[in-house]
């Protein structure tokens, strides 16, 4: 398989934090591949390295050793400017707290990554992006005029407007009620079925992870288990076993 079929590759990635009295190995020799057209959930106990993993995939965190490759490009080989451009064009990021700009309309929020890239933005392009997340007719609404689920869908449209190789989502349903959460998960599932991109989501919720094709489990910065096409019960059982002390 050519490396371009992988949206993201982790090759023996390690990241240790040395800010406290003891070094903390947040990621230890993590190797994983994320193919376009797939939806992966990343789970693990608190402190297992999930956020560090996502931040390394997004180029927000430097790695100590190993390689992170996005869309066939090794992030560590890029200078600051090229990394900024790659992050803007190849990586979409969705946060638990939506992170929309409150003074901008839905359409203006969605157009922002293209404007930052210096591109002229067509009205129809933005309208289509909002339609793709089920928000036709809400172009002129500000975030405060939208529900949490609708705000998260605007954030997804914004993350996808540059047609990135990967959409990274950090607890995207964490701030939503279950109905809105399900809608967002169905949307992420549909977005991952597009073979141009992979979706990788960190979640604590086995029901959310049940929408994924594969679930990667981290413990103490290492991948300890991968489940393919798991049921919610299988995911919950694996999480319970990882969170239960062995002695
Ligand atoms: N900037 C940092 N400086 C020092 N230590 C850090 C830093 N970021 C993370 N860590 C440590 O690295 C380890 C992994 O943290 P990380 O946030 O990736 O875990 P997590 O699985 O996302 O946790 P949670 O589910 O609680 O959000 C933890 O022990 C954490 O304290």
């Amino acid at each position: 398989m050519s490396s371009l079929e992988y949206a993201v590759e982790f090759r023996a990635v390690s990241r240790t934090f040395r800010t406290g009295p003891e070094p903390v190995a947040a990621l230890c020799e993590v190797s994983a591949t994320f193919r376009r057209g797939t939806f992966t959930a990343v789970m693990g106990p608190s402190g297992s390295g999930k956020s560090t993993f996502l931040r390394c995939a997004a180029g927000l965190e430097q790695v100590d050793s190993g390689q992170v490759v996005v869309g066939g490009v090794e992030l560590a080989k890029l200078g600051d400017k090229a990394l900024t451009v790659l992050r803007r064009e190849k990586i979409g990021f969705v946060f638990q707290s939506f992170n929309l700009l409150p003074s901008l309309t839905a359409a203006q929020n969605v157009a922002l990554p293209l404007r930052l890239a210096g591109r002229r933005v067509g009205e129809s392009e933005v309208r289509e992006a909002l339609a793709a997340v089920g928000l036709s007719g809400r172009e002129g609404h500000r975030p405060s005029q939208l529900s949490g689920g609708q705000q998260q869908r605007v954030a997804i449209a914004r993350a996808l407007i540059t047609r990135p190789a990967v959409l990274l989502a950090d607890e995207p349903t964490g701030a939503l009620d279950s109905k809105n959460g399900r809608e967002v998960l169905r949307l992420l599932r549909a977005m991952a079925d597009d073979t141009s991109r992979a979706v990788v989501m960190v979640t604590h919720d086995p029901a959310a992870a049940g929408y994924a094709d594969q679930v990667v489990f981290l413990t103490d910065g290492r991948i300890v288990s991968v489940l393919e096409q798991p049921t919610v019960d299988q995911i919950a059982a694996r999480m319970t076993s990882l969170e239960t002390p062995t002695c």
Side-chain angles (χ1 to χ4, degrees), residues 32-237:
T33 50
F34 303 93
R35 225 165 356 108
R36 294 172 195 263
T38 64
F39 185 5
T40 301
V42 179
M43 301 190 80
S46 181
S48 58
K50 302 181 295 295
S51 297
T52 306
F53 172 85
L54 216 57
R55 289 174 58 77
C56 287
L60 294 167
E61 192 81 68
Q62 285 186 355
V63 304
D64 297 322
S65 59
Q67 299 166 331
V68 177
V69 181
V70 176
V73 179
E74 190 193 336
L75 299 189
K77 292 224 166 103
L78 301 176
D80 285 352
K81 209 169 161 190
L83 180 60
T84 302
V85 171
L86 179 131
R87 283 182 35 216
R88 197 161 56 211
E89 292 179 352
K90 295 233 190 299
I91 301 168
F93 208 103
V94 174
F95 303 85
Q96 178 173 347
S97 51
F98 323 138
N99 286 20
L100 299 176
L101 293 181
S103 59
L104 300 186
T105 64
Q108 288 166 336
N109 267 288
V110 170
L112 199 58
L114 297 178
R115 288 202 192 287
L116 289 174
R119 271 191 48 193
R120 271 199 71 211
V121 187
E123 215 178 283
S124 60
E125 188 176 1
V126 174
R127 213 178 315 116
E128 277 165 29
L130 281 167
V133 297
L135 289 177
S136 287
R138 311 281 170 142
E139 293 82 1
H141 286 56
R142 292 205 156 63
S144 62
Q145 299 169 313
L146 297 169
S147 73
Q150 289 170 334
Q151 289 183 59
Q152 193 59 299
R153 285 189 273 148
V154 173
I156 292 169
R158 179 180 61 181
L160 293 177
I161 192 88
T162 57
R163 305 186 194 283
V166 63
L167 177 65
L168 302 170
D170 194 359
E171 294 278 1
T173 58
L176 302 177
D177 62 31
S178 54
K179 178 175 169 289
N180 277 306
R182 277 196 301 275
E183 276 177 19
V184 163
L185 288 162
R186 274 198 287 267
L187 185 59
L188 291 175
R189 171 71 267 171
M191 296 302 171
D193 289 334
D194 183 321
T195 53
S196 68
R197 67 174 83 96
V199 177
V200 181
M201 167 181 78
V202 164
T203 182
H204 284 100
D205 178 6
Y211 284 76
D213 302 304
Q214 64 167 359
V215 183
V216 172
F217 294 87
L218 286 171
T219 300
D220 295 334
R222 294 177 191 275
I223 294 180
V224 290
S225 176
V226 178
L227 292 178
E228 301 284 345
Q229 307 292 347
T231 64
V232 173
D233 286 348
Q234 288 169 329
I235 298 166

